Amino acid sequence: MAQSLVKEFTKGLWAEIPLFRLVLGLCPALAVTKTCENGIGMGMATTFVLLFSNILVSMLRNIIPSKVRIACYIVIIATFVTIVEFVMQAYTYELFLKLGIFIPLIVVNCVVLGRAEAFAGKNTVMLSAADGLGMGIGFTLALSSLGAVRELIGAGTLTVWGGTPLFTIGHGYIPFQFMVEAPGAFVGLGMMLCLMNLIGKK
Amino acid sequence: MTNTKLIVSHAPFWHNGDSLFQQNLNFFIALLPAALFGIFHFGAPALGVLALATSSAMLWEVIMSVLSKKKMAIADMDSAIIGLLFGMMVPATMPWWVVITGTFIAVVLGKFVFGGTGANPFHPTLVGIAILTMSWPAFLDFDTAYVSYQFDFTALAPLAALKAQGTYALASFSNYDLLMGNEVGGIGSTFGLGIIIGGIYLILKGYARWEIVASFIAGVLITATLFFVLHPDTYAPPLFHLLSGYTLIGAFFLAVENSSSPVNRIPMLIYGFLGGLMIILVRNIGIYPDGTVLAILLINLVNPLIDTIRPKALGKGVPNA
Amino acid sequence: MREMLSMIVVLTVLTAVSGGLLAAVKVKTEPRIEEQVLKFQKAPAIKAIFADATNDPIKERFNVKAEDTELQVFPSTLADGIKAVAFEAKGTGFGGPIGLMVGVNLDTDEIIAVRVTTHAETPGIGSRAKEDLSFVGQFAGMSMASNFGTKGQGGDIDAMSGATVTSVGVSQAAVAAQNLYKKLKPEIVKQMN
């Protein structure tokens, strides 16, 4: 039991990391990863939703009739997303302003619904929690690394939390703005996917 | 042999001896007049930029061939032409690291990620120029690039001046000066006469299709004339548009690139005309001084669509064959 | 029949529980959110409107009430001694309510400036109402009695190209501000003195 728990948790971190392996949840990944901080914030919000929606879906999997399961999942997910939205407004308002419309859009994030349908609807509560947490952390890692790459090249800074850069490349560096623009997100994601495939080829 | 659609004629076939190398060599020869004039005009830095652009583009090709385990195709000079064209479109004072980044984008993002030679949906050089324009516009600004130079003509980029000052600026540029390269601009894109000579050589050799070039120029002239006739005070005359900026190098060398332009006659005419039209729209209505790069990227994008306009096949098709 | 019933029951219970939970969270976080909105949205807007205020409008805010409407008002004394107030009105845009902070000169009933505060408009399209000041700048100097409709509706405001719904939302908010002002001005003046 303990072994499979670990297995379900770690698969989300590397073997099935949502953004780079499953290529799910691209909308927030491309839209908000202008800075590393945005990626972390979005990832944490998604992790919270994933964890609790997985737990609840798994708890209710024997009660929910299969014909209305998607509707039920959406209600559960939307509830947690709205909670996240309220909490972020109350405590991290500046981050909420930056992520804006993309927080409510977690409802339609494929990773969340995908895990509810593919995993939590068929497995026990403990396993689903491990899966949700692993996937969420994997998603956060993917978003923050993509955000870090884009921010480093596109703005010459690295912001982890709180709006002030943790690290700035020297004054001689002229930011390659393309990377923080929308098309740069696609190119950045493509390069990360390429890197993942190169590493994971064996 | 049930698939009758694929039967062309009886063997044996024969090859006319042409190759990708032959084609690119002819491109190279055709580009020479304009490039040599650029070196003569802007001095040693221009030679440096051209050499660096060409060699770094070839180096990126070698690196990418090794990384992607493709057959080394550097000898066919495809990347060399991409690099050379890149060098011809940028100012002579561009720093070396900008040139190398630009050719990296052109060769790797413009060509290799789509599958290498012949698979690129856009002209690779234009991908490089466009991304650089978005990121480091300061290095592509022809006005500031040549401040330390002494010219015996107006050292203002014609199109930027037109955008900034309106038709008022036109008095300082005569059509003859623009044609003979007496203007600031990209190393190899100022000498209109050289580009035209090289382009006609390519058309005669059959490597560039006259349909694209002619309809492209017609698009520029007709659209610009319409604007000019309606509001002569606000818009520049058509010949100015044809001779300034990247228009000529775009018409003769960039729009005709094989894998990103159509193969049939009517699509070629539409493709070229659309490009010319877009250039004038961007210049007269848009916010960028020169729309050539964007216009050609746009027609590259619609190329697969307009290429579906093709003649009806002779004979009767076999249903569900 | 049994399946039908269970579907209805499960969905009803689920939505009811979720609704209850959300209501509870909203009640819990509401004061804190209002505080944050005041700090990050209203305060910068008021500062931009009353650039030369001699007092602290945020600290001196008070509520006025007339009949059934209540309004939070930020009073200010400008550098040249003019008394002015700012208050927020709402309109409906593309992505939900748009908050518009309106600063009015109490003596002449003229608008000093307006700024968009909270909104959920599309980034880069409707959000220009907040970022690009040329649109909201049109309101500055207009009388509180003018027609705030967009030109398409026969009013005096040029809509932003490509963001008609947002523009109409902002103009709606301005009209709402007009009505509030008409109704509450006597009360505001009474409380300011």
Side-chain angles (χ1 to χ4, degrees):
Chain A
M1 182 68 191
Q3 213 175 3
S4 59
L5 261 183
V6 172
K7 205 186 109 217
E8 296 305 342
F9 176 71
T10 49
K11 72 164 192 260
L13 300 184
W14 182 256
E16 289 181 25
I17 187 166
L19 197 53
F20 297 144
R21 287 273 191 247
L22 306 179
V23 200
L24 284 180
L26 289 185
C27 164
L30 296 173
V32 305
T33 53
K34 272 187 183 174
T35 65
C36 186
E37 183 194 5
N38 283 4
I40 293 173
M42 187 73 199
M44 276 168 34
T46 314
T47 307
F48 174 86
V49 175
L50 253 173
L51 177 61
F52 285 98
S53 69
N54 257 14
I55 291 175
L56 211 66
V57 166
S58 172
M59 267 160 63
L60 299 176
R61 70 183 188 279
N62 294 326
I63 304 169
I64 294 175
S66 68
K67 276 186 184 161
V68 290
R69 68 180 192 286
I70 299 291
C72 292
Y73 296 165
I74 291 286
V75 170
I76 293 169
I77 293 166
T79 309
F80 285 112
V81 169
T82 317
I83 292 175
V84 165
E85 201 188 344
F86 281 141
V87 171
M88 281 188 85
Q89 277 190 60
Y91 294 97
T92 56
Y93 197 79
E94 278 176 304
L95 188 62
F96 171 78
L97 283 185
K98 276 185 220 147
L99 299 180
I101 187 80
F102 296 103
I103 293 291
L105 282 181
I106 299 176
V107 177
V108 287
N109 189 322
C110 301
V111 180
V112 183
L113 189 60
R115 289 334 282 178
E117 166 75 9
F119 196 91
K122 298 175 188 128
N123 286 288
T124 61
V125 177
M126 286 304 281
L127 283 177
S128 304
D131 175 77
L133 197 62
M135 283 289 164
I137 293 175
F139 192 63
T140 313
L141 281 178
L143 284 193
S144 52
S145 56
L146 183 58
V149 168
R150 286 182 64 195
E151 194 191 346
L152 268 177
I153 303 178
T157 56
L158 189 66
T159 319
V160 176
W161 196 254
T164 40
L166 185 75
F167 167 74
T168 311
I169 303 182
H171 289 295
Y173 181 74
I174 300 162
F176 194 69
Q177 265 174 10
F178 173 73
M179 284 304 282
V180 287
E181 312 259 352
F186 286 93
V187 172
L189 180 69
M191 291 198 299
M192 299 289 272
L193 280 174
C194 164
L195 200 68
M196 286 294 286
N197 282 346
L198 272 183
I199 298 170
K201 222 169 190 177
K202 294 147 228 154
Chain B
M1 274 301 198
T2 48
N3 196 345
T4 49
K5 274 184 180 175
L6 291 177
I7 297 173
V8 181
S9 73
H10 294 289
F13 299 112
W14 59 287
H15 197 280
N16 73 350
D18 211 352
S19 69
L20 204 54
F21 172 72
Q22 223 88 40
Q23 176 196 317
N24 287 325
L25 190 68
N26 276 300
F27 255 90
F28 188 76
I29 294 168
L31 284 170
L32 268 185
L36 286 177
F37 177 83
I39 296 169
F40 163 71
H41 209 161
F42 299 114
L47 179 64
V49 167
L50 286 183
L52 181 65
T54 314
S55 54
S56 63
M58 293 170 88
L59 190 68
W60 291 123
E61 161 113 21
V62 173
I63 294 173
M64 283 310 286
S65 304
V66 172
L67 275 184
S68 58
K69 301 196 180 76
K70 280 220 165 81
K71 204 176 133 229
M72 190 73 73
I74 186 158
D76 66 26
M77 278 188 28
D78 199 60
S79 287
I81 293 298
I82 294 171
L84 182 63
L85 272 170
F86 180 87
M88 289 174 67
M89 290 176 74
V90 300
T93 51
M94 186 174 254
W96 61 270
W97 46 274
V98 181
V99 177
I100 291 183
T101 316
T103 52
F104 169 82
I105 297 166
V107 173
V108 178
L109 292 185
K111 190 172 104 168
F112 263 91
V113 296
F114 294 109
T117 309
N120 47 304
F122 305 107
H123 195 298
T125 306
L126 292 176
V127 175
I129 298 275
I131 292 182
L132 277 193
T133 318
M134 281 177 77
S135 306
W136 290 329
F139 295 112
L140 283 160
D141 185 350
F142 298 121
D143 286 332
T144 54
Y146 296 112
V147 277
S148 59
Y149 276 72
Q150 289 292 326
F151 293 119
D152 49 358
F153 51 83
T154 321
L156 280 175
L159 288 168
L162 175 70
K163 197 99 225 170
Q165 306 165 10
T167 42
Y168 185 67
L170 291 179
S172 41
F173 308 104
S174 75
N175 285 339
Y176 176 77
D177 278 349
L178 293 177
L179 183 68
M180 296 312 293
N182 289 331
E183 56 169 325
V184 293
I187 295 169
S189 58
T190 52
F191 186 35
L193 190 64
I195 296 172
I196 293 173
I197 292 170
I200 288 174
Y201 168 79
L202 269 192
I203 291 173
L204 292 180
K205 278 283 194 173
Y207 292 109
R209 296 298 297 256
W210 68 268
E211 289 94 337
I212 295 177
V213 178
S215 61
F216 196 95
I217 291 173
V220 170
L221 290 180
I222 292 172
T223 319
T225 309
L226 280 180
F227 272 100
F228 183 64
V229 166
L230 290 177
H231 295 282
D233 301 333
T234 2
Y235 301 114
L239 264 183
F240 173 81
H241 279 300
L242 181 66
L243 295 172
S244 60
Y246 293 145
T247 317
L248 284 174
I249 198 171
F252 283 104
F253 294 108
L254 297 172
V256 297
E257 201 254 349
N258 276 343
S259 69
S260 53
S261 61
V263 290
N264 292 317
R265 177 157 291 170
I266 292 171
M268 274 197 270
L269 292 172
I270 299 174
Y271 169 91
F273 190 84
L274 205 59
L277 176 91
M278 280 310 296
I279 288 184
I280 302 301
L281 287 186
V282 174
R283 284 183 186 175
N284 281 352
I285 299 173
I287 56 164
Y288 289 102
D290 193 349
T292 313
V293 173
L294 296 178
I296 297 179
L297 283 176
L298 189 85
I299 52 174
N300 284 168
L301 198 64
V302 296
N303 163 35
L305 270 181
I306 43 184
D307 217 11
T308 53
I309 306 169
R310 53 167 69 103
K312 222 173 152 191
L314 288 173
K316 221 171 163 189
V318 184
N320 303 324
Chain C
M1 191 60 211
R2 246 190 76 96
E3 198 194 348
M4 195 73 160
L5 208 65
S6 86
M7 280 201 291
I8 294 169
V9 170
V10 167
L11 257 181
T12 315
V13 171
L14 204 61
T15 41
V17 170
S18 131
L21 188 65
L22 286 182
V25 174
K26 186 167 168 64
V27 168
K28 267 264 185 278
T29 52
E30 202 157 27
R32 187 104 198 155
I33 292 176
E34 252 168 40
E35 207 175 285
Q36 297 268 17
V37 169
L38 190 67
K39 188 168 153 204
F40 288 106
Q41 299 271 28
K42 292 187 184 168
I46 290 168
K47 268 205 195 108
I49 292 170
F50 300 137
D52 53 350
T54 54
N55 65 333
D56 185 353
I58 295 132
K59 217 175 240 166
E60 292 173 21
R61 66 180 187 269
F62 57 84
N63 284 7
V64 289
K65 217 185 222 174
E67 293 158 45
D68 51 343
T69 31
E70 196 175 355
L71 184 68
Q72 194 178 36
V73 175
F74 302 88
S76 175
T77 316
L78 302 184
D80 38 5
I82 293 169
K83 293 251 179 227
V85 289
F87 56 92
E88 195 182 39
K90 299 258 178 201
T92 309
F94 194 72
I98 301 175
L100 187 71
M101 185 64 75
V102 184
V104 190
N105 182 332
L106 275 179
D107 298 335
T108 59
D109 289 352
E110 263 174 17
I111 291 183
I112 295 168
V114 305
R115 288 287 184 279
V116 172
T117 52
T118 48
H119 70 90
E121 303 305 290
T122 321
I125 301 173
S127 71
R128 279 181 297 160
K130 181 166 186 161
E131 293 139 13
D132 181 2
L133 295 182
S134 62
F135 174 67
V136 286
Q138 295 178 67
F139 289 95
M142 286 176 87
S143 156
M144 234 10 206
S146 22
N147 185 350
F148 291 135
T150 58
K151 288 223 165 115
Q153 302 168 322
D156 298 328
I157 301 299
D158 270 321
M160 288 180 290
S161 60
T164 317
V165 181
T166 308
S167 309
V168 170
V170 172
S171 96
Q172 253 178 31
V175 173
Q178 197 170 27
N179 296 334
L180 282 171
Y181 187 71
K182 222 183 273 165
K183 209 169 182 180
L184 295 171
K185 190 187 173 189
E187 199 66 27
I188 294 171
V189 174
K190 205 159 78 191
Q191 286 210 29
M192 291 254 305
N193 296 321

